[in-house]
Amino acid sequence: KMSVLYITGAGVSAESGIPTFRGKDGFWTIGSENYTPQEMATRAMYLTHPDEFLLWYFRRFASYRHIQPNNVHDWLADKKLITQNIDGLDGKAGNADYIPIHGRLDKVTVLHAQSDEVELVDAPWEKVVAICSNLENDAEVKAALLEAFKISKTTLAPEVEHSLKPFVLLFDEYYTELYRMSLAESWMREAEHFVFMGTSFSVNITNIALRYALASGAKIEVVDPDPVDLGLKGVTYHQMTAQAYVSRI
């Protein structure tokens, strides 16, 4: 039996009601009042404006923390899976060993140098909600976030080994063992068949996976309603949603 590796992006969670990143309602098209998303989603922003960063992250991502998996996540639950999504829906669907290569919304770490090994702990979103009397009030939510993430309201300076940072790979960070990069690469080396679902191939991990697939002569399939033409021979394109693809199998 061929070893199949699934690599999923935002298109897979769109059916659950989570916006994609580059669509017209997407995360990367909506910034904050003063910053573009590409400026917001950085370690530099977390370190220099943690209140702005955490508010943006809370509004954009934590608001989806109660969303439930759809039948694509259920179908993928027993598959070898690397996802770019941080929504945790694959875990909720019961995939015990999937790799969330960009992090997980429901986890945080202590602030650390990027190569350090640290443990993942549960994100304090419910604590933030409990502290706030009005979740529409940005100032109040910022104060609650700083408290929950152990950052001084006066200095606004996150402290190494003390303050909390969302477990998410930001634009100016790199893949480390915290994101299980070595395991991801060993899965890519072993795979004889790659299926890319709901990804725009604009993310580093998809390029790394493609390199492995091409090097080993693996079978490559792309599932997307509007697939990016990779300009490669022998790629099979399925111009459909992940939902439609799964229901055919």
Side-chain angles (χ1 to χ4, degrees), residues 212-226:
Y212 277 106
L214 293 169
S216 66
K219 183 178 173 185
I220 301 172
E221 292 187 76
V222 175
V223 180
D224 198 275
D226 187 18

Side-chain angles (χ1 to χ4, degrees), residues 26-185:
F27 289 123
W28 291 164
T29 54
I30 305 168
S32 73
E33 281 177 24
N34 304 311
Y35 302 99
T36 67
Q38 285 77 5
E39 291 172 315
M40 284 305 297
T42 59
R43 188 181 182 93
M45 184 62 74
Y46 165 76
L47 293 173
T48 54
H49 299 82
D51 53 344
E52 287 271 349
F53 172 89
L54 289 170
L55 180 70
W56 175 79
Y57 191 83
F58 181 74
R59 294 260 188 259
R60 290 283 168 275
F61 297 101
S63 55
Y64 296 103
R65 67 193 179 281
H66 299 307
I67 282 186
Q68 293 306 304
N70 61 51
N71 62 339
V72 180
H73 300 108
D74 294 336
W75 184 84
L76 288 165
D78 61 352
K79 312 286 192 286
K80 195 163 260 191
L81 170 66
I82 298 172
T83 187
Q84 302 162 41
N85 301 333
I86 65 167
D87 51 43
L89 293 179
D90 293 291
K92 285 183 185 177
N95 194 321
D97 198 33
Y98 80 106
I99 298 179
I101 200 75
H102 291 158
R104 275 174 52 181
L105 174 61
D106 60 344
K107 298 291 179 188
V108 297
T109 64
V110 294
L111 176 59
H112 61 285
Q114 281 184 78
S115 49
D116 291 354
E117 292 279 318
V118 291
E119 64 173 337
L120 301 179
V121 292
D122 291 337
W125 303 126
E126 300 312 324
K127 180 178 176 183
V128 172
V129 172
I131 297 172
C132 290
S133 58
N134 177 10
L135 282 172
E136 300 306 307
N137 182 327
D138 282 358
E140 192 183 339
V141 175
K142 278 182 183 177
L145 284 161
L146 290 172
E147 183 174 327
F149 281 77
K150 304 182 182 174
I151 298 167
S152 159
K153 292 184 181 68
T154 46
T155 64
L156 289 185
E159 297 165 65
V160 174
E161 304 301 337
H162 174 70
S163 299
L164 301 178
K165 174 187 173 287
F167 174 47
V168 61
L169 188 76
L170 298 166
F171 279 122
D172 54 352
E173 294 183 321
Y174 51 85
Y175 296 115
T176 64
E177 284 317 291
L178 189 61
Y179 300 92
R180 295 164 70 200
M181 191 58 196
S182 296
L183 181 62
E185 291 197 274

